[in-house]
Amino acid sequence: MKPVYLEAGELKLIDQTKLPTEFIVHSYTDYRKIAQAIVDMIVRGAPAIGVTAGYGVYFGALEYQNEPKDVFYDKMKEVCELLASTRPTAVNLFWAIKRMEDVMAANVDKEPAQLVAILKDEARAICAEDIQMCRDMGKHGAELIHQNDTILTHCNAGALATADYGTALGVIRAAHEAGKNISVYADETRPFLQGARLTAYELHADGIPVTLITDNMAGWMMKLGKIDGVIVGADRIAANGDVANKIGTYSVSVLAKAHGIPMYVAAPTSTIDFAMKSGDEIVIEQRDCREISHICGIQVAPDGVAMENPAFDVTPHQNVTAIITEKGVVYPPYDINIPKLKE
Ligand code: MRU
């Protein structure tokens, strides 16, 4: 399932705010609307927003290709700044924009119209590489899953969160495809319900046994011995192995540690912020509290009550058993082993 792709000169995005009850694909050619789609979480998930931003830069270049060169570069700066301002936590967004900027910088001798084709190729390459990285992560991660295991996952780190296949769910898919008899518990993931709406939808569609639970049931399922391992995705991993991921991941990691259950993080190296020393520096997106006060448009909290809505949390590296990347599985000490992935 591809949530973001180019077709007939338009960017197509599956509207993830409407799943699972409606399957709607929107078409875009305006980079401003692409940026808004990221803000509105029509497309979401760290790798998927990176891929979308890459295409956004291409559509910006297409719009300004007939401008004089100096105007073109000024406009492209605006395009990149707008796309970068959409969501602060997932590093893949900034990584993809930087990759597009680097391509522009390496081709300053070219006319804008020539650059457009180069940027289109680069955006396509980011998309294709993301799928390959997910497949490779799946291959490495599947080794960690045993016959008859039940895996807990939080949020949606599936095909819908990437260009296809998924990170955490890619590992689960690969184990399933390898013939392992596995099943999954999916946390519903309040407040945006990515687990209920997207993870349950994806796994169910693929015939992978999935049981949906509310977030507050995870600890009890562990206590009952029903969970053999946890696999989640990541939005940003610091050089010391601290992991920013969907709010609630930290709680799951504490529970997993208390029950002696391995906690795996699956993420491509585009999610690693090698320049960030620890998770303390990660900016946590704060979202509209209406996501808490209302569920599917129905008010569930009193008017005027105080609320907070951090969209992500940071799991300390001490709670992470291993990080599954496309280059292989990385174990502690992360401050030594993560920098080696850059080589
Ligand atoms: O707010 P979202 O839905 O964009 O958050 C997504 C997550 O936290 C995912 O777990 C993470 O991006 C990994 S996706 C492969």
Side-chain angles (χ1 to χ4, degrees), residues 92-320:
N92 307 61
L93 177 79
F94 308 97
W95 171 89
I97 294 169
K98 164 109 178 35
R99 215 169 122 163
M100 299 298 278
E101 285 172 333
D102 288 349
V103 164
M104 284 191 271
N107 290 283
V108 271
D109 54 316
K110 310 256 182 355
E111 286 308 311
Q114 292 173 287
L115 244 181
V116 169
I118 298 171
L119 289 170
K120 184 180 187 180
D121 285 347
E122 191 67 12
R124 279 200 158 129
I126 291 172
C127 186
E129 286 167 28
D130 187 64
I131 299 173
Q132 190 55 49
M133 288 193 288
C134 287
R135 294 263 171 195
D136 292 344
M137 263 180 277
K139 209 169 54 197
H140 299 306
E143 309 271 316
L144 302 169
I145 301 185
H146 310 107
Q147 192 60 263
N148 302 321
D149 269 0
T150 297
I151 305 296
L152 176 81
T153 190
H154 189 75
C155 193
N156 173 265
L160 288 163
T162 59
D164 201 359
Y165 206 65
T167 58
L169 297 195
V171 171
I172 286 165
R173 277 198 171 92
H176 176 77
E177 286 163 8
K180 289 183 184 166
N181 175 36
I182 57 163
S183 57
V184 177
Y185 274 105
D187 278 350
E188 69 168 346
T189 318
R190 274 279 283 152
F192 209 70
L193 301 175
Q194 289 94 331
R197 296 189 304 101
L198 309 175
T199 295
Y201 171 78
E202 262 194 69
L203 293 178
H204 191 59
D206 274 8
I208 299 174
V210 57
T211 302
L212 182 63
I213 55 173
T214 62
D215 300 332
N216 50 357
M217 295 175 188
W220 184 239
M221 294 303 169
M222 290 182 185
K223 169 82 176 140
L224 293 178
K226 290 187 169 198
I227 292 168
D228 301 296
V230 176
I231 307 183
V232 295
D235 289 85
R236 192 184 290 243
I237 300 175
N240 70 343
D242 291 348
V243 173
N245 192 48
K246 181 52 54 193
I247 190 75
T249 304
Y250 169 68
S251 315
V252 170
S253 80
V254 172
L255 288 167
K257 198 169 192 180
H259 291 88
I261 294 169
M263 169 93 188
Y264 299 114
V265 174
T269 46
S270 53
T271 302
I272 300 176
D273 190 341
F274 292 96
M276 194 167 267
K277 283 205 181 77
S278 90
D280 297 345
E281 297 169 51
I282 298 175
V283 176
I284 301 294
E285 177 183 8
Q286 306 292 321
R287 292 191 64 86
D288 191 337
C289 287
R290 199 181 151 86
E291 290 177 357
I292 297 181
S293 64
H294 290 67
I295 301 179
C296 300
I298 297 169
Q299 186 172 346
V300 293
D303 285 329
V305 74
M307 286 176 276
E308 288 187 35
N309 188 14
F312 300 95
D313 58 29
V314 178
T315 295
H317 60 92
Q318 294 90 340
N319 291 6
V320 178

Side-chain angles (χ1 to χ4, degrees), residues 13-18 34-45 49 86-87 155 192-194 197-198 246 285 287 291 311-312:
L13 297 179
I14 296 176
D15 189 338
Q16 299 192 36
T17 65
K18 298 286 192 293
I34 294 171
Q36 194 57 43
I38 298 174
V39 171
D40 295 339
M41 290 173 70
I42 283 169
V43 61
R44 35 64 54 197
I49 63 176
T86 51
R87 296 193 72 191
C155 193
F192 209 70
L193 301 175
Q194 289 94 331
R197 296 189 304 101
L198 309 175
K246 181 52 54 193
E285 177 183 8
R287 292 191 64 86
E291 290 177 357
F312 300 95

